[in-house]
mmCIF file of all heavy atoms in Angstrom:
data_model
loop_
_atom_site.group_PDB
_atom_site.id
_atom_site.type_symbol
_atom_site.label_atom_id
_atom_site.label_comp_id
_atom_site.label_asym_id
_atom_site.label_seq_id
_atom_site.Cartn_x
_atom_site.Cartn_y
_atom_site.Cartn_z
ATOM 1 N N ALA H 4 100.308 109.280 119.790
ATOM 2 C CA ALA H 4 99.207 109.071 118.833
ATOM 3 C C ALA H 4 99.133 107.600 118.413
ATOM 4 O O ALA H 4 98.035 107.028 118.354
ATOM 5 C CB ALA H 4 99.382 109.958 117.614
ATOM 6 N N VAL H 5 100.283 107.000 118.148
ATOM 7 C CA VAL H 5 100.286 105.592 117.727
ATOM 8 C C VAL H 5 99.784 104.696 118.852
ATOM 9 O O VAL H 5 98.992 103.780 118.616
ATOM 10 C CB VAL H 5 101.690 105.161 117.232
ATOM 11 C CG1 VAL H 5 101.722 103.684 116.902
ATOM 12 C CG2 VAL H 5 102.116 105.990 116.026
ATOM 13 N N ARG H 6 100.221 104.958 120.098
ATOM 14 C CA ARG H 6 99.730 104.174 121.239
ATOM 15 C C ARG H 6 98.208 104.329 121.383
ATOM 16 O O ARG H 6 97.505 103.361 121.653
ATOM 17 C CB ARG H 6 100.407 104.615 122.535
ATOM 18 C CG ARG H 6 101.775 104.075 122.728
ATOM 19 C CD ARG H 6 102.299 104.397 124.141
ATOM 20 N NE ARG H 6 103.739 104.472 124.072
ATOM 21 C CZ ARG H 6 104.439 105.588 123.946
ATOM 22 N NH1 ARG H 6 103.847 106.762 123.902
ATOM 23 N NH2 ARG H 6 105.748 105.545 123.879
ATOM 24 N N MET H 7 97.716 105.548 121.188
ATOM 25 C CA MET H 7 96.284 105.804 121.275
ATOM 26 C C MET H 7 95.529 104.991 120.214
ATOM 27 O O MET H 7 94.512 104.380 120.490
ATOM 28 C CB MET H 7 95.974 107.292 121.120
ATOM 29 C CG MET H 7 94.489 107.618 121.238
ATOM 30 S SD MET H 7 94.053 109.208 120.520
ATOM 31 C CE MET H 7 94.446 108.961 118.808
ATOM 32 N N TRP H 8 96.064 105.009 118.975
ATOM 33 C CA TRP H 8 95.425 104.225 117.905
ATOM 34 C C TRP H 8 95.361 102.757 118.286
ATOM 35 O O TRP H 8 94.361 102.092 118.069
ATOM 36 C CB TRP H 8 96.208 104.370 116.607
ATOM 37 C CG TRP H 8 96.064 105.677 115.895
ATOM 38 C CD1 TRP H 8 95.289 106.747 116.254
ATOM 39 C CD2 TRP H 8 96.730 106.042 114.703
ATOM 40 N NE1 TRP H 8 95.441 107.761 115.330
ATOM 41 C CE2 TRP H 8 96.315 107.359 114.369
ATOM 42 C CE3 TRP H 8 97.628 105.411 113.864
ATOM 43 C CZ2 TRP H 8 96.771 108.027 113.239
ATOM 44 C CZ3 TRP H 8 98.087 106.081 112.743
ATOM 45 C CH2 TRP H 8 97.655 107.379 112.430
ATOM 46 N N GLU H 9 96.444 102.258 118.862
ATOM 47 C CA GLU H 9 96.472 100.854 119.253
ATOM 48 C C GLU H 9 95.478 100.587 120.398
ATOM 49 O O GLU H 9 94.706 99.630 120.342
ATOM 50 C CB GLU H 9 97.882 100.429 119.666
ATOM 51 C CG GLU H 9 97.999 98.932 119.836
ATOM 52 C CD GLU H 9 99.384 98.493 120.253
ATOM 53 O OE1 GLU H 9 100.266 98.394 119.382
ATOM 54 O OE2 GLU H 9 99.574 98.233 121.448
ATOM 55 N N ASN H 10 95.485 101.447 121.392
ATOM 56 C CA ASN H 10 94.574 101.266 122.538
ATOM 57 C C ASN H 10 93.111 101.355 122.132
ATOM 58 O O ASN H 10 92.256 100.695 122.724
ATOM 59 C CB ASN H 10 94.890 102.279 123.635
ATOM 60 C CG ASN H 10 96.210 101.984 124.321
ATOM 61 O OD1 ASN H 10 96.677 100.858 124.354
ATOM 62 N ND2 ASN H 10 96.829 103.027 124.866
ATOM 63 N N LYS H 11 92.799 102.190 121.128
ATOM 64 C CA LYS H 11 91.419 102.315 120.654
ATOM 65 C C LYS H 11 91.049 101.255 119.621
ATOM 66 O O LYS H 11 89.916 101.215 119.158
ATOM 67 C CB LYS H 11 91.193 103.711 120.048
ATOM 68 C CG LYS H 11 91.165 104.816 121.070
ATOM 69 C CD LYS H 11 90.852 106.143 120.411
ATOM 70 C CE LYS H 11 90.603 107.209 121.449
ATOM 71 N NZ LYS H 11 90.136 108.460 120.861
ATOM 72 N N GLY H 12 92.024 100.418 119.231
ATOM 73 C CA GLY H 12 91.737 99.370 118.260
ATOM 74 C C GLY H 12 91.771 99.845 116.816
ATOM 75 O O GLY H 12 91.382 99.106 115.913
ATOM 76 N N ILE H 13 92.224 101.063 116.584
ATOM 77 C CA ILE H 13 92.307 101.567 115.209
ATOM 78 C C ILE H 13 93.359 100.781 114.436
ATOM 79 O O ILE H 13 93.136 100.400 113.289
ATOM 80 C CB ILE H 13 92.621 103.093 115.208
ATOM 81 C CG1 ILE H 13 91.437 103.849 115.812
ATOM 82 C CG2 ILE H 13 92.933 103.576 113.794
ATOM 83 C CD1 ILE H 13 91.730 105.299 116.148
ATOM 84 N N ILE H 14 94.492 100.535 115.082
ATOM 85 C CA ILE H 14 95.475 99.612 114.517
ATOM 86 C C ILE H 14 95.570 98.425 115.468
ATOM 87 O O ILE H 14 95.301 98.564 116.671
ATOM 88 C CB ILE H 14 96.875 100.269 114.308
ATOM 89 C CG1 ILE H 14 97.477 100.719 115.631
ATOM 90 C CG2 ILE H 14 96.792 101.394 113.295
ATOM 91 C CD1 ILE H 14 98.926 101.198 115.512
ATOM 92 N N PRO H 15 95.905 97.256 114.957
ATOM 93 C CA PRO H 15 95.986 96.075 115.833
ATOM 94 C C PRO H 15 97.131 96.211 116.839
ATOM 95 O O PRO H 15 98.119 96.892 116.576
ATOM 96 C CB PRO H 15 96.294 94.931 114.858
ATOM 97 C CG PRO H 15 96.057 95.460 113.494
ATOM 98 C CD PRO H 15 96.196 96.950 113.565
ATOM 99 N N LYS H 16 96.967 95.549 117.966
ATOM 100 C CA LYS H 16 98.054 95.496 118.947
ATOM 101 C C LYS H 16 99.193 94.672 118.357
ATOM 102 O O LYS H 16 98.969 93.662 117.714
ATOM 103 C CB LYS H 16 97.585 94.849 120.234
ATOM 104 C CG LYS H 16 96.585 95.687 121.012
ATOM 105 C CD LYS H 16 96.276 95.083 122.356
ATOM 106 C CE LYS H 16 95.224 95.859 123.090
ATOM 107 N NZ LYS H 16 95.631 97.156 123.531
ATOM 108 N N THR H 17 100.410 95.125 118.566
ATOM 109 C CA THR H 17 101.555 94.361 118.126
ATOM 110 C C THR H 17 101.706 93.135 119.037
ATOM 111 O O THR H 17 101.283 93.160 120.193
ATOM 112 C CB THR H 17 102.844 95.204 118.130
ATOM 113 O OG1 THR H 17 103.909 94.422 117.621
ATOM 114 C CG2 THR H 17 103.179 95.734 119.499
ATOM 115 N N TRP H 18 102.288 92.102 118.505
ATOM 116 C CA TRP H 18 102.437 90.851 119.270
ATOM 117 C C TRP H 18 103.739 90.825 120.049
ATOM 118 O O TRP H 18 103.992 89.896 120.805
ATOM 119 C CB TRP H 18 102.421 89.645 118.318
ATOM 120 C CG TRP H 18 101.324 89.710 117.323
ATOM 121 C CD1 TRP H 18 99.975 89.702 117.590
ATOM 122 C CD2 TRP H 18 101.446 89.826 115.910
ATOM 123 N NE1 TRP H 18 99.276 89.804 116.418
ATOM 124 C CE2 TRP H 18 100.156 89.873 115.365
ATOM 125 C CE3 TRP H 18 102.533 89.881 115.039
ATOM 126 C CZ2 TRP H 18 99.907 89.985 113.999
ATOM 127 C CZ3 TRP H 18 102.285 89.998 113.692
ATOM 128 C CH2 TRP H 18 100.985 90.036 113.185
ATOM 129 N N PHE H 19 104.565 91.839 119.868
ATOM 130 C CA PHE H 19 105.904 91.797 120.431
ATOM 131 C C PHE H 19 106.137 92.952 121.402
ATOM 132 O O PHE H 19 105.703 94.069 121.156
ATOM 133 C CB PHE H 19 106.946 91.873 119.315
ATOM 134 C CG PHE H 19 106.705 90.863 118.219
ATOM 135 C CD1 PHE H 19 106.197 91.264 117.000
ATOM 136 C CD2 PHE H 19 106.973 89.522 118.424
ATOM 137 C CE1 PHE H 19 105.960 90.345 115.986
ATOM 138 C CE2 PHE H 19 106.735 88.591 117.422
ATOM 139 C CZ PHE H 19 106.227 89.000 116.200
ATOM 140 N N ARG H 20 106.843 92.645 122.495
ATOM 141 C CA ARG H 20 107.244 93.640 123.488
ATOM 142 C C ARG H 20 108.657 93.297 123.935
ATOM 143 O O ARG H 20 109.064 92.138 123.921
ATOM 144 C CB ARG H 20 106.324 93.595 124.713
ATOM 145 C CG ARG H 20 104.849 93.826 124.435
ATOM 146 C CD ARG H 20 104.521 95.268 124.494
ATOM 147 N NE ARG H 20 103.096 95.501 124.218
ATOM 148 C CZ ARG H 20 102.442 96.514 124.705
ATOM 149 N NH1 ARG H 20 103.037 97.368 125.499
ATOM 150 N NH2 ARG H 20 101.193 96.699 124.377
ATOM 151 N N ASP H 21 109.388 94.329 124.361
ATOM 152 C CA ASP H 21 110.701 94.040 124.924
ATOM 153 C C ASP H 21 110.539 93.682 126.412
ATOM 154 O O ASP H 21 109.401 93.631 126.922
ATOM 155 C CB ASP H 21 111.692 95.196 124.693
ATOM 156 C CG ASP H 21 111.412 96.438 125.528
ATOM 157 O OD1 ASP H 21 110.497 96.430 126.390
ATOM 158 O OD2 ASP H 21 112.118 97.442 125.325
ATOM 159 N N LYS H 22 111.634 93.432 127.105
ATOM 160 C CA LYS H 22 111.534 93.000 128.496
ATOM 161 C C LYS H 22 110.968 94.074 129.414
ATOM 162 O O LYS H 22 110.578 93.791 130.543
ATOM 163 C CB LYS H 22 112.895 92.518 128.997
ATOM 164 C CG LYS H 22 113.947 93.586 129.083
ATOM 165 C CD LYS H 22 115.277 92.994 129.534
ATOM 166 C CE LYS H 22 116.350 94.070 129.596
ATOM 167 N NZ LYS H 22 117.635 93.503 129.978
ATOM 168 N N PHE H 23 110.896 95.313 128.944
ATOM 169 C CA PHE H 23 110.324 96.408 129.716
ATOM 170 C C PHE H 23 108.880 96.702 129.320
ATOM 171 O O PHE H 23 108.274 97.648 129.802
ATOM 172 C CB PHE H 23 111.174 97.674 129.553
ATOM 173 C CG PHE H 23 112.598 97.462 129.956
ATOM 174 C CD1 PHE H 23 113.598 97.379 128.994
ATOM 175 C CD2 PHE H 23 112.955 97.311 131.292
ATOM 176 C CE1 PHE H 23 114.911 97.169 129.348
ATOM 177 C CE2 PHE H 23 114.270 97.100 131.654
ATOM 178 C CZ PHE H 23 115.255 97.031 130.692
ATOM 179 N N GLY H 24 108.343 95.918 128.385
ATOM 180 C CA GLY H 24 106.961 96.093 127.938
ATOM 181 C C GLY H 24 106.785 97.087 126.813
ATOM 182 O O GLY H 24 105.661 97.419 126.444
ATOM 183 N N LYS H 25 107.889 97.569 126.252
ATOM 184 C CA LYS H 25 107.794 98.533 125.147
ATOM 185 C C LYS H 25 107.410 97.822 123.851
ATOM 186 O O LYS H 25 107.909 96.742 123.562
ATOM 187 C CB LYS H 25 109.110 99.280 124.976
ATOM 188 C CG LYS H 25 109.418 100.161 126.155
ATOM 189 C CD LYS H 25 110.669 100.966 125.923
ATOM 190 C CE LYS H 25 110.890 101.857 127.140
ATOM 191 N NZ LYS H 25 111.870 102.881 126.872
ATOM 192 N N ARG H 26 106.533 98.453 123.081
ATOM 193 C CA ARG H 26 106.028 97.868 121.848
ATOM 194 C C ARG H 26 107.149 97.720 120.813
ATOM 195 O O ARG H 26 107.959 98.608 120.626
ATOM 196 C CB ARG H 26 104.935 98.752 121.261
ATOM 197 C CG ARG H 26 103.666 98.798 122.066
ATOM 198 C CD ARG H 26 102.816 99.995 121.626
ATOM 199 N NE ARG H 26 101.514 100.016 122.247
ATOM 200 C CZ ARG H 26 101.280 100.498 123.469
ATOM 201 N NH1 ARG H 26 102.251 100.992 124.191
ATOM 202 N NH2 ARG H 26 100.052 100.497 123.956
ATOM 203 N N LEU H 27 107.102 96.566 120.118
ATOM 204 C CA LEU H 27 108.035 96.293 119.031
ATOM 205 C C LEU H 27 107.237 95.821 117.830
ATOM 206 O O LEU H 27 106.249 95.082 117.969
ATOM 207 C CB LEU H 27 109.027 95.199 119.450
ATOM 208 C CG LEU H 27 110.009 95.565 120.560
ATOM 209 C CD1 LEU H 27 110.653 94.309 121.131
ATOM 210 C CD2 LEU H 27 111.073 96.501 120.020
ATOM 211 N N TYR H 28 107.669 96.228 116.643
ATOM 212 C CA TYR H 28 106.972 95.884 115.404
ATOM 213 C C TYR H 28 107.972 95.312 114.402
ATOM 214 O O TYR H 28 109.092 95.793 114.291
ATOM 215 C CB TYR H 28 106.354 97.148 114.772
ATOM 216 C CG TYR H 28 105.343 97.840 115.648
ATOM 217 C CD1 TYR H 28 105.754 98.751 116.623
ATOM 218 C CD2 TYR H 28 103.982 97.611 115.492
ATOM 219 C CE1 TYR H 28 104.828 99.399 117.428
ATOM 220 C CE2 TYR H 28 103.050 98.268 116.290
ATOM 221 C CZ TYR H 28 103.480 99.148 117.257
ATOM 222 O OH TYR H 28 102.562 99.790 118.045
ATOM 223 N N THR H 29 107.518 94.337 113.627
ATOM 224 C CA THR H 29 108.352 93.853 112.530
ATOM 225 C C THR H 29 108.331 94.901 111.421
ATOM 226 O O THR H 29 107.423 95.752 111.377
ATOM 227 C CB THR H 29 107.838 92.516 111.959
ATOM 228 O OG1 THR H 29 106.573 92.736 111.339
ATOM 229 C CG2 THR H 29 107.733 91.425 113.019
ATOM 230 N N ALA H 30 109.299 94.812 110.523
ATOM 231 C CA ALA H 30 109.311 95.722 109.378
ATOM 232 C C ALA H 30 108.023 95.563 108.572
ATOM 233 O O ALA H 30 107.479 96.543 108.050
ATOM 234 C CB ALA H 30 110.537 95.472 108.508
ATOM 235 N N GLU H 31 107.539 94.332 108.500
ATOM 236 C CA GLU H 31 106.295 94.080 107.728
ATOM 237 C C GLU H 31 105.079 94.714 108.396
ATOM 238 O O GLU H 31 104.184 95.197 107.700
ATOM 239 C CB GLU H 31 106.088 92.581 107.558
ATOM 240 C CG GLU H 31 107.108 91.966 106.630
ATOM 241 C CD GLU H 31 107.046 90.454 106.641
ATOM 242 O OE1 GLU H 31 107.122 89.863 107.736
ATOM 243 O OE2 GLU H 31 106.917 89.871 105.548
ATOM 244 N N GLN H 32 105.025 94.714 109.726
ATOM 245 C CA GLN H 32 103.924 95.371 110.409
ATOM 246 C C GLN H 32 103.969 96.879 110.139
ATOM 247 O O GLN H 32 102.936 97.490 109.860
ATOM 248 C CB GLN H 32 103.990 95.120 111.919
ATOM 249 C CG GLN H 32 103.600 93.718 112.338
ATOM 250 C CD GLN H 32 103.793 93.519 113.823
ATOM 251 O OE1 GLN H 32 104.904 93.697 114.333
ATOM 252 N NE2 GLN H 32 102.740 93.139 114.512
ATOM 253 N N ILE H 33 105.169 97.443 110.243
ATOM 254 C CA ILE H 33 105.319 98.870 109.980
ATOM 255 C C ILE H 33 104.920 99.188 108.552
ATOM 256 O O ILE H 33 104.159 100.124 108.300
ATOM 257 C CB ILE H 33 106.771 99.322 110.272
ATOM 258 C CG1 ILE H 33 107.031 99.252 111.784
ATOM 259 C CG2 ILE H 33 107.019 100.740 109.740
ATOM 260 C CD1 ILE H 33 108.476 99.482 112.191
ATOM 261 N N GLU H 34 105.422 98.375 107.622
ATOM 262 C CA GLU H 34 105.072 98.571 106.209
ATOM 263 C C GLU H 34 103.566 98.533 105.994
ATOM 264 O O GLU H 34 103.014 99.340 105.244
ATOM 265 C CB GLU H 34 105.700 97.442 105.374
ATOM 266 C CG GLU H 34 106.755 97.872 104.418
ATOM 267 C CD GLU H 34 107.341 96.666 103.707
ATOM 268 O OE1 GLU H 34 106.604 95.994 102.946
ATOM 269 O OE2 GLU H 34 108.529 96.407 103.926
ATOM 270 N N ALA H 35 102.892 97.573 106.623
ATOM 271 C CA ALA H 35 101.446 97.408 106.444
ATOM 272 C C ALA H 35 100.702 98.646 106.946
ATOM 273 O O ALA H 35 99.781 99.140 106.278
ATOM 274 C CB ALA H 35 100.967 96.164 107.180
ATOM 275 N N ILE H 36 101.084 99.158 108.119
ATOM 276 C CA ILE H 36 100.404 100.327 108.668
ATOM 277 C C ILE H 36 100.688 101.563 107.819
ATOM 278 O O ILE H 36 99.764 102.323 107.489
ATOM 279 C CB ILE H 36 100.825 100.548 110.141
ATOM 280 C CG1 ILE H 36 100.316 99.386 111.001
ATOM 281 C CG2 ILE H 36 100.273 101.885 110.656
ATOM 282 C CD1 ILE H 36 100.884 99.362 112.414
ATOM 283 N N VAL H 37 101.940 101.749 107.439
ATOM 284 C CA VAL H 37 102.292 102.915 106.615
ATOM 285 C C VAL H 37 101.618 102.843 105.256
ATOM 286 O O VAL H 37 101.087 103.847 104.761
ATOM 287 C CB VAL H 37 103.837 103.027 106.486
ATOM 288 C CG1 VAL H 37 104.230 104.087 105.463
ATOM 289 C CG2 VAL H 37 104.460 103.339 107.840
ATOM 290 N N HIS H 38 101.599 101.649 104.654
ATOM 291 C CA HIS H 38 100.922 101.476 103.358
ATOM 292 C C HIS H 38 99.437 101.804 103.490
ATOM 293 O O HIS H 38 98.873 102.507 102.650
ATOM 294 C CB HIS H 38 101.125 100.057 102.834
ATOM 295 C CG HIS H 38 100.407 99.778 101.567
ATOM 296 N ND1 HIS H 38 100.819 100.287 100.349
ATOM 297 C CD2 HIS H 38 99.267 99.081 101.313
ATOM 298 C CE1 HIS H 38 99.978 99.900 99.413
ATOM 299 N NE2 HIS H 38 99.020 99.175 99.966
ATOM 300 N N SER H 39 98.795 101.317 104.544
ATOM 301 C CA SER H 39 97.370 101.588 104.755
ATOM 302 C C SER H 39 97.136 103.083 104.942
ATOM 303 O O SER H 39 96.143 103.622 104.432
ATOM 304 C CB SER H 39 96.852 100.831 105.986
ATOM 305 O OG SER H 39 96.927 99.445 105.762
ATOM 306 N N ALA H 40 98.042 103.748 105.647
ATOM 307 C CA ALA H 40 97.912 105.206 105.838
ATOM 308 C C ALA H 40 98.044 105.928 104.497
ATOM 309 O O ALA H 40 97.277 106.849 104.219
ATOM 310 C CB ALA H 40 98.981 105.694 106.816
ATOM 311 N N ASP H 41 98.988 105.464 103.674
ATOM 312 C CA ASP H 41 99.169 106.090 102.354
ATOM 313 C C ASP H 41 97.949 105.872 101.456
ATOM 314 O O ASP H 41 97.427 106.818 100.854
ATOM 315 C CB ASP H 41 100.415 105.542 101.653
ATOM 316 C CG ASP H 41 101.714 106.058 102.258
ATOM 317 O OD1 ASP H 41 101.680 107.054 103.009
ATOM 318 O OD2 ASP H 41 102.761 105.430 102.000
ATOM 319 N N VAL H 42 97.497 104.638 101.378
ATOM 320 C CA VAL H 42 96.355 104.284 100.521
ATOM 321 C C VAL H 42 95.109 105.047 100.937
ATOM 322 O O VAL H 42 94.317 105.481 100.091
ATOM 323 C CB VAL H 42 96.089 102.755 100.569
ATOM 324 C CG1 VAL H 42 94.745 102.395 99.971
ATOM 325 C CG2 VAL H 42 97.196 102.008 99.855
ATOM 326 N N ASN H 43 94.931 105.230 102.249
ATOM 327 C CA ASN H 43 93.738 105.904 102.763
ATOM 328 C C ASN H 43 93.942 107.398 102.982
ATOM 329 O O ASN H 43 93.063 108.072 103.526
ATOM 330 C CB ASN H 43 93.285 105.228 104.059
ATOM 331 C CG ASN H 43 92.684 103.873 103.780
ATOM 332 O OD1 ASN H 43 91.566 103.777 103.311
ATOM 333 N ND2 ASN H 43 93.445 102.818 104.045
ATOM 334 N N ASN H 44 95.097 107.903 102.544
ATOM 335 C CA ASN H 44 95.389 109.330 102.603
ATOM 336 C C ASN H 44 95.195 109.903 104.006
ATOM 337 O O ASN H 44 94.547 110.945 104.190
ATOM 338 C CB ASN H 44 94.523 110.089 101.583
ATOM 339 C CG ASN H 44 95.077 111.451 101.276
ATOM 340 O OD1 ASN H 44 96.272 111.713 101.439
ATOM 341 N ND2 ASN H 44 94.211 112.357 100.844
#
C-alpha cells in the first residue's frame, strides 16, 4: 500500500535507497507522513 501511494504520487518519493534499490526514509519523513495521516484521519 505504501509503495502504491508513492507510485501514484499520494506521498512523495523518498530520496534514499539502499544498494538494492529498497526505499529508505528518515525518521522525520516517517514522522511527517504519520502525522499527516493522523491529522487527516
Side-chain angles (χ1 to χ4, degrees):
V5 176
R6 281 188 208 97
M7 181 200 64
W8 286 358
E9 190 180 280
N10 290 334
K11 288 184 171 187
I13 294 167
I14 62 172
K16 291 187 184 292
T17 183
W18 314 297
F19 309 105
R20 302 271 180 152
D21 72 5
K22 66 183 179 182
F23 303 107
K25 294 184 178 194
R26 292 164 174 82
L27 293 164
Y28 300 84
T29 66
E31 290 170 307
Q32 286 176 303
I33 291 172
E34 246 177 65
I36 294 169
V37 171
H38 177 74
S39 295
D41 287 344
V42 167
N43 288 285
N44 199 24

